[in-house]
Amino acid sequence: MSEELAQKTEDLSLDSKQQSDKTVFDSKDEFTAKHPLNSRWTLWYTKPQTSKTENWHDLLKPVITFSSVEEFWGIYNSIPPANQLPLKSDYHLFKEGIRPEWEDEANAKGGKWQYSFRKGEATPIINDLWLRGLLAVIGETIEDDEDEVNGIVINIRKQVYRIGIWTKDCDESKLKTVGERLKKILQLKDEQKVEFISHDASNIRGAEAQIVL
């Protein structure tokens, strides 16, 4: 476990002995207290296609919406980890009310930062990296005050795990911070580049990335 994750879990410790000899178990109010997030989030899942008659809308389903740290951990610990998902499936975590689709009004003028990990080299650590991404998004530490990030996605494909951050628009001045922090979250080396491409450009074969970091 990384130092950042260790600190996160330490912060959620039930032991409050630093302040007194009592713990939250001694107080019903403290034990049932929740730590609210700034936003409400919905987890979505795209299942693999089993029939050619199934379209994107048939495959994409909302799983659950949550609004606290405790709810997040309860959900995260009860769903299959990323490295156990079937091929051609996806997890999407988006702010409540935003569908993980290009056509959604909140996404239509935006794009995504992304990086693809080769499965062989990343399989042992992909769950850790995905969790780091989730924590940065729900904790809203992946950006400052731009309010650009709509959600985070992981795609499970034959050769790669692809992690992407979806944004509201394509304003480079607002996006660089997100890209730089994504690179740190994913523990990438200088030569490993994250790329930003607009959703409109993603529809064009051979389109080049708008920003590369």
Side-chain angles (χ1 to χ4, degrees):
M1 181 179 287
S2 69
E3 291 182 4
E4 180 182 345
L5 291 177
Q7 184 62 49
K8 291 286 186 181
T9 54
E10 183 178 339
D11 290 344
L12 293 172
S13 173
L14 295 176
D15 192 345
S16 58
K17 289 184 178 180
Q18 290 182 346
Q19 298 178 354
S20 71
D21 291 333
K22 292 184 177 182
T23 71
V24 292
F25 290 113
D26 297 303
S27 168
K28 181 179 178 180
D29 291 337
E30 289 185 29
F31 182 63
T32 58
K34 291 185 178 180
H35 297 79
L37 301 168
N38 288 336
S39 303
R40 290 174 59 84
W41 298 87
T42 300
L43 176 68
W44 300 73
Y45 176 65
T46 306
K47 69 175 185 176
Q49 187 181 46
T50 56
S51 168
K52 291 184 178 180
T53 61
E54 293 178 311
N55 59 36
W56 170 254
H57 297 287
D58 297 323
L59 304 176
L60 176 66
K61 301 293 182 184
V63 178
I64 194 169
T65 297
F66 63 92
S67 59
S68 72
V69 174
E70 290 78 7
E71 289 172 325
F72 166 78
W73 284 113
I75 294 164
Y76 180 81
N77 290 324
S78 64
I79 61 175
N83 66 358
Q84 292 183 17
L85 291 179
L87 289 178
K88 297 185 178 180
S89 64
D90 315 294
Y91 275 146
H92 320 255
L93 186 70
F94 275 67
K95 287 180 178 176
E96 184 183 33
I98 302 176
R99 292 180 63 88
E101 300 173 320
W102 297 349
E103 299 85 356
D104 189 284
E105 183 179 358
N107 297 320
K109 296 180 180 179
K112 60 184 175 183
W113 282 105
Q114 63 181 7
Y115 185 81
S116 297
F117 294 91
R118 292 182 181 179
K119 276 194 171 179
E121 60 185 2
T123 297
I125 60 170
I126 194 63
N127 295 339
D128 181 40
L129 298 177
W130 173 236
L131 177 57
R132 287 169 58 87
L134 292 171
L135 291 173
V137 169
I138 67 170
E140 300 183 19
T141 59
I142 196 165
E143 57 184 335
D144 292 323
D145 300 318
E146 295 87 354
D147 192 27
E148 270 297 300
V149 172
N150 287 339
I152 183 171
V153 177
I154 185 168
N155 312 118
I156 314 301
R157 299 299 181 261
K158 186 175 182 180
Q159 301 294 337
V160 300
Y161 297 108
R162 183 182 302 112
I163 293 179
I165 297 289
W166 286 37
T167 65
K168 288 183 178 180
D169 62 41
C170 298
D171 185 340
E172 186 169 342
S173 65
K174 297 179 181 179
L175 296 174
K176 288 193 71 174
T177 297
V178 177
E180 289 168 353
R181 292 186 184 174
L182 176 62
K183 193 165 183 175
K184 290 181 179 178
I185 289 163
L186 299 182
Q187 300 179 327
L188 300 178
K189 300 175 182 177
D190 289 343
E191 64 270 21
Q192 295 174 297
K193 304 299 184 182
V194 292
E195 297 183 345
F196 179 85
I197 189 168
S198 69
H199 295 315
D200 286 341
S202 295
N203 281 322
I204 303 172
R205 179 173 294 183
E208 295 185 358
Q210 179 179 327
I211 315 170
V212 179
L213 293 175

